[in-house]
Amino acid sequence: MVKHLRTYALFFQSLFILPLAQAQVDQWDWAPKESLTAEQQKQLGRYCQGSYINSWQATDITGTNLSADLIVRDKNGVIHLQGAAEIKQPQTSLSADKIEGVPDEYYRASGNVILRSDGQLIRSSSGYIDNSGKAPTAFNDAKFINHKSGARGEAKLLSRSQDGVAFIEEGFFTTCEPNNESWKLYGSSIELNPNSGFGTAKHVQIRIADLPIFYFPWLRFPLDNRRQTGFLFPSFGYSASDGLSTSTPFYWNIAQNYDATITPQYIQEKGAGIDLELRHLSPYGQTTYEQSSFSDNDEGEQTLIKLTSTQKFNQHFNAGLTAEGNPTEDKYPEANSTSIGEKDNYERSAYLGFNNGNFLNKIKYLTYQTPDTKNDKPFEWLPRLSSSYRIASSYLDYKIDAQYTDFYDPAEDNFDGQRTALNQDVNLNFSNTWGSLTPGVLAQYRDYNLHNYTTDSESDTSITHLTSYIDSSISFERRLMISDESWRQTLMPRLSYLNSPYEDQDLIPDFDATESTMTYSQAFSHTRFNGNDRIGDTEQVTLGVESRIYDANNSEKWAFKAGQVFYLKDRYVGINNNTDKNTAIDDSKRSNLLTSASYNGNRYSLTGNLNYNLDDSEVNLVQLVATLEPVDDIKINLSYLYTVDNTGDDAKQASIGSIFPLNQNWSMFTQYTYDFLKQDATKEIAGLGYENCCIKVSFSYQDWLNDDEKFDRGVFLQFTLRGLSTAGRANIESSVADTYWNQGQVGY
């Protein structure tokens, strides 16, 4: 008898994933927030108004304990318990107004039936528990709950066959609190198979505020963590240009280490398509194949494909590959749920790595597909070999990087060739608590074997270069008394000297050189260019100062940085091949004044960056970011960006995003972005959000400038049903709807 009741308790413990109905709060072991202890209240979500209290108490009972106002055994051996009838066992208890049955065969209970064990509760009007294996166990008008997950349900008939399969008729499931049932999952007929780990339901409705929002004729859902084949929740949206759009992913659990996700797409004014994701997990890593295809009403077929694999064979060897492609000649799927995006160049690469502590090695083969024939094709690596090694101690830091690349110009209309690059950086570090001094030398070697397609000629060239530098800093610290609290301020002046002599580089090509953006951190760098082609010439002194203020809890409140580069010589080496010693490409005597300041307050944070040209009295960069919470739950994000770029890619725009609570559960969110160069708003958003302990809903109108420099607008609705899934769509464009509403401190 003991084992049978334990079996039923464990079985019904899995019913927290089933459907159920309304009930009084006291039926669910529910305690309001005010009656909970301080520790219990800390465990609640922001919008939760209470918690389930597990009333099960373990006893020292070793057998079966029967109690009732009246206990009678009739001549057939049937035991009758009447009035406060209860059967207690070590792991379960069954109580009712009346219980009758034969031990080890069956029990029939009626009137206020309660089956309870640790973490689960079932209530019903009547029930039949079979212990013989001859008939199903069943409860009528059953209500059940799992205290740990907070999920509960109700069904007109709850039964269990001998093979463990459960059947529910006319029931629903929710994770909402008893006093606030925002959503429910209804089903007319539900079957739960704990052996396979999944359940199926017919005529399923998802109701929000008792209004049917979604309907599924048939639904399959998991009972445990095992992956299961079935449909995932759909997404949908509506915009002025596209009309209605929807997608319904289907997950296919092919095998233990194989699976697939198939997602049909439909856009009312565009067409239809399908996305595919296949995944394979090996003992060494994961391989993924993705494909997005869309049949556009005007452009026809649009397809993107991608194959990626990363494998780690042991602690030393690893390998991987990436194969992207656009087989439809610069046409891109209008609807795409994969990780493949629209690109100018699609990568096809493979690599093999060997790592042993500080010794890192890698060989990589890299090519591209360029769908638009008007675009220049990047250099390909056929292949690239890289090795690096580092030795570091308290006083000495030595690092060597070696790289060989066989560059290929797929257009064969300019030049390509082989490049060998060797970089060695060695420095001595003398430091203590109040300062540091770091002298060092950077040795760079380049060797090229080049082929010129325009002249059909071969050439060789090489360069050896030594750069010397000295970095130094001094640290000061003092105590501040603010509001009777001991604060701390640090001040760190920095001085750096860099000498990189001029070397003629007219014969050195540009395979991958780029110019660094001047920032406070870049001002202390030992190289002017990125990549291994250009060796920038300069003799300069960089001055900088950093100050930070920490409060009594050692939290940083203020941070200030200011720095400037003073050039002792003109610069003659640029990105282009022309490096004429008599023609300077930059003769300025100093850089912009590079400044930065930030403040972290209790209710707001501010960050500002300013680059100022002292020679021309011009501002070249202004960046301001502010996050404010003037009162609880009101959030305001402000930003402003102004940049002057030498290439003409200037920017000048401002943005404001906000969330304002209307009451305990409702909030309004807005965002407005204005581009001063376009003299127009590039993003306008207004929406409402609702959230409680078990549901989050956002509804927004959005008007934005898309990637094609055309304005689009749409209405977006998204549901998050806690404990079930997310349905709907916020928008593919980043906005306050996802950045602030979904990711901000607004609930679980």
Side-chain angles (χ1 to χ4, degrees):
M1 177 61 189
V2 175
K3 69 175 183 179
H4 291 300
L5 274 181
R6 185 184 300 119
T7 299
Y8 298 134
L10 291 175
F11 158 69
F12 283 112
Q13 194 169 358
S14 69
L15 294 181
F16 67 90
I17 46 125
L18 303 181
L20 79 176
Q22 279 194 338
Q24 299 299 320
V25 170
D26 59 359
Q27 288 184 300
W28 299 111
D29 292 348
W30 176 261
K33 184 176 182 179
E34 297 75 16
S35 65
L36 300 176
T37 65
E39 185 63 29
Q40 290 172 329
Q41 291 185 17
K42 290 181 181 179
Q43 307 300 320
L44 293 179
R46 172 180 170 182
Y47 292 97
C48 296
Q49 302 301 312
S51 179
Y52 297 101
I53 303 301
N54 186 7
S55 301
W56 169 257
Q57 294 182 352
T59 65
D60 55 0
I61 297 175
T62 58
T64 300
N65 189 355
L66 307 180
S67 64
D69 294 339
L70 177 63
I71 301 178
V72 177
R73 181 190 294 268
D74 62 23
K75 62 181 180 179
N76 297 321
V78 178
I79 299 177
H80 300 266
L81 288 77
Q82 296 185 359
E86 185 174 24
I87 301 176
K88 284 188 176 181
Q89 294 181 340
Q91 302 297 326
T92 60
S93 67
L94 175 66
S95 63
D97 294 340
K98 179 180 179 181
I99 301 176
E100 63 179 33
V102 178
D104 296 327
E105 291 189 17
Y106 73 92
Y107 280 109
R108 182 178 286 108
S110 59
N112 298 316
V113 178
I114 300 175
L115 176 65
R116 186 185 291 277
S117 64
D118 189 15
Q120 70 93 31
L121 168 68
I122 298 174
R123 294 176 180 269
S124 70
S125 60
S126 62
Y128 178 86
I129 299 176
D130 180 74
N131 299 323
S132 64
K134 298 179 180 178
T137 295
F139 286 88
N140 297 309
D141 300 322
K143 303 176 179 68
F144 42 88
I145 183 171
N146 180 279
H147 296 85
K148 184 177 181 180
S149 67
R152 55 190 177 83
E154 181 173 322
K156 286 188 175 181
L157 177 62
L158 182 64
S159 61
R160 175 184 181 271
S161 65
Q162 298 306 317
D163 58 0
V165 178
F167 301 90
I168 295 176
E169 296 181 7
E170 300 297 335
F172 70 82
F173 154 75
T174 186
T175 59
C176 297
E177 299 171 319
N179 54 2
N180 193 349
E181 296 180 339
S182 297
W183 71 267
K184 299 175 183 177
L185 176 64
Y186 280 85
S188 63
S189 176
I190 300 174
E191 177 183 313
L192 304 171
N193 192 332
N195 303 316
S196 62
F198 67 88
T200 57
K202 296 179 180 179
H203 302 296
V204 180
Q205 293 182 18
I206 295 179
R207 294 188 179 183
I208 296 178
D210 254 348
L211 297 176
I213 302 297
F214 303 103
Y215 170 78
F216 304 94
W218 182 85
L219 183 67
R220 182 172 178 169
F221 51 92
L223 304 183
D224 50 35
N225 293 328
R226 284 177 284 182
R227 298 176 301 162
Q228 301 296 335
T229 298
F231 283 97
L232 306 179
F233 277 86
S235 64
F236 56 89
Y238 180 83
S239 71
S241 60
D242 294 342
L244 178 67
S245 61
T246 182
S247 64
T248 307
F250 178 81
Y251 177 77
W252 183 14
N253 182 31
I254 304 172
Q256 186 176 2
N257 60 335
Y258 292 88
D259 64 11
T261 302
I262 304 168
T263 307
Q265 305 276 5
Y266 172 75
I267 301 178
Q268 184 178 1
E269 301 299 330
K270 297 288 185 178
I274 190 166
D275 296 342
L276 172 66
E277 181 190 47
L278 291 168
R279 300 188 303 174
H280 172 256
L281 188 64
S282 75
Y284 307 108
Q286 180 171 306
T287 301
T288 303
Y289 174 79
E290 297 176 274
Q291 177 173 323
S292 178
S293 297
F294 192 85
S295 180
D296 190 274
N297 295 336
D298 298 323
E299 296 186 357
E301 190 69 19
Q302 305 166 337
T303 299
L304 292 175
I305 58 176
K306 182 178 181 180
L307 174 67
T308 58
S309 180
T310 56
Q311 309 292 323
K312 185 175 182 180
F313 305 110
N314 53 41
Q315 61 178 343
H316 300 299
F317 288 95
N318 62 87
L321 64 86
T322 299
E324 300 175 327
N326 181 350
T328 49
E329 299 181 355
D330 210 25
K331 296 178 181 179
Y332 307 97
E334 192 70 28
N336 183 359
S337 62
T338 70
S339 66
I340 326 169
E342 181 178 339
K343 298 180 180 180
D344 291 335
N345 304 286
Y346 289 91
E347 178 180 338
R348 283 94 179 266
S349 66
Y351 71 87
L352 175 66
F354 171 77
N355 303 324
N356 187 12
N358 293 338
F359 186 38
L360 308 178
N361 303 272
K362 188 176 185 179
I363 178 172
K364 185 173 183 177
Y365 184 92
L366 172 65
T367 64
Y368 294 96
Q369 181 209 7
T370 304
D372 190 346
T373 56
K374 297 188 296 292
N375 293 336
D376 291 334
K377 297 182 179 182
F379 285 106
E380 298 177 347
W381 303 347
L382 307 177
R384 167 173 287 183
L385 289 79
S386 304
S387 293
S388 66
Y389 185 73
R390 184 171 186 175
I391 300 175
S393 65
S394 301
Y395 298 101
L396 176 67
D397 190 350
Y398 172 75
K399 183 178 181 181
I400 179 172
D401 292 295
Q403 184 185 93
Y404 169 83
T405 308
D406 185 357
F407 290 101
Y408 172 66
D409 177 14
E412 297 187 351
D413 59 1
N414 198 350
F415 68 91
D416 56 22
Q418 297 81 42
R419 181 189 70 192
T420 301
L422 183 65
N423 302 312
Q424 298 181 81
D425 191 351
V426 58
N427 62 68
L428 299 175
N429 183 26
F430 305 100
S431 62
N432 53 31
T433 57
W434 54 267
S436 67
L437 179 66
T438 306
V441 175
L442 173 62
Q444 297 169 286
Y445 171 76
R446 308 286 186 266
D447 183 78
Y448 294 86
N449 297 310
L450 303 173
H451 177 76
N452 191 313
Y453 287 98
T454 58
T455 61
D456 193 23
S457 61
E458 307 287 336
S459 63
D460 298 332
T461 186
S462 63
I463 182 175
T464 301
H465 189 273
L466 289 178
T467 299
S468 58
Y469 60 87
I470 300 176
D471 297 330
S472 62
S473 66
I474 301 176
S475 299
F476 299 95
E477 184 175 312
R478 67 168 180 164
R479 296 289 175 178
L480 302 173
M481 294 302 299
I482 300 179
S483 301
D484 297 328
E485 292 184 337
S486 178
W487 287 38
R488 180 169 60 93
Q489 180 185 12
T490 63
L491 180 67
M492 185 174 70
R494 297 180 63 182
L495 172 64
S496 176
Y497 171 77
L498 176 65
N499 184 12
S500 179
Y502 168 82
E503 289 284 349
D504 189 299
Q505 299 175 49
D506 280 347
L507 300 179
I508 303 296
D510 176 15
F511 287 116
D512 56 14
T514 58
E515 192 166 3
S516 302
T517 302
M518 182 57 70
T519 62
Y520 178 82
S521 298
Q522 177 61 29
F524 293 92
S525 174
H526 302 144
T527 57
R528 282 180 51 212
F529 300 103
N530 301 317
N532 277 324
D533 285 320
R534 285 290 175 266
I535 300 177
D537 63 317
T538 186
E539 186 176 2
Q540 65 187 48
V541 173
T542 304
L543 296 177
V545 61
E546 302 176 16
S547 181
R548 291 175 171 81
I549 298 177
Y550 301 87
D551 64 13
N553 297 320
N554 204 34
S555 299
E556 183 181 297
K557 304 297 288 185
W558 286 95
F560 303 94
K561 296 179 182 179
Q564 191 170 22
V565 181
F566 297 89
Y567 300 104
L568 307 181
K569 293 182 179 180
D570 294 341
R571 277 76 62 211
Y572 298 92
V573 179
I575 292 293
N576 296 326
N577 291 46
N578 187 4
T579 57
D580 188 354
K581 176 64 174 175
N582 300 316
T583 305
I585 59 103
D586 189 349
D587 59 0
S588 59
K589 301 304 179 183
R590 56 185 176 179
S591 70
N592 292 335
L593 179 63
L594 312 169
T595 65
S596 174
S598 63
Y599 173 76
N600 295 310
N602 294 329
R603 288 195 173 272
Y604 62 95
S605 64
L606 304 172
T607 300
N609 299 297
L610 174 69
N611 291 357
Y612 186 74
N613 188 322
L614 296 172
D615 296 325
D616 300 331
S617 300
E618 292 180 348
V619 175
N620 289 334
L621 180 144
V622 177
Q623 185 179 33
L624 299 172
V625 177
T627 302
L628 301 88
E629 189 176 358
V631 297
D632 288 345
D633 304 330
I634 292 182
K635 302 181 187 301
I636 303 174
N637 281 34
L638 304 168
S639 66
Y640 175 81
L641 175 64
Y642 168 75
T643 60
V644 177
D645 194 288
N646 294 331
T647 63
D649 190 16
D650 301 341
K652 188 177 182 182
Q653 63 181 28
S655 179
I656 177 171
S658 63
I659 297 179
F660 289 89
L662 303 178
N663 56 30
Q664 173 66 23
N665 302 102
W666 286 92
S667 296
M668 178 180 69
F669 55 89
T670 63
Q671 183 174 349
Y672 182 81
T673 301
Y674 187 83
D675 193 305
F676 295 93
L677 300 181
K678 291 183 172 65
Q679 296 185 344
D680 203 349
T682 58
K683 185 176 294 185
E684 297 178 81
I685 298 172
L688 288 174
Y690 174 84
E691 184 173 7
N692 61 27
C693 193
C694 67
I695 191 173
K696 182 187 296 183
V697 182
S698 66
F699 176 78
S700 63
Y701 169 80
Q702 305 184 26
D703 190 329
W704 71 96
L705 186 67
N706 61 28
D707 294 336
D708 296 327
E709 294 295 313
K710 296 180 181 179
F711 282 93
D712 200 354
R713 60 182 57 88
V715 176
F716 300 91
L717 178 66
Q718 187 174 40
F719 299 90
T720 299
L721 310 181
R722 187 184 179 198
L724 188 62
S725 182
T726 297
R729 182 172 158 194
N731 194 356
I732 58 174
E733 299 286 329
S734 176
S735 68
V736 67
D738 48 49
T739 305
Y740 301 139
W741 173 254
N742 292 329
Q743 298 177 8
Q745 300 298 319
V746 286
Y748 52 85

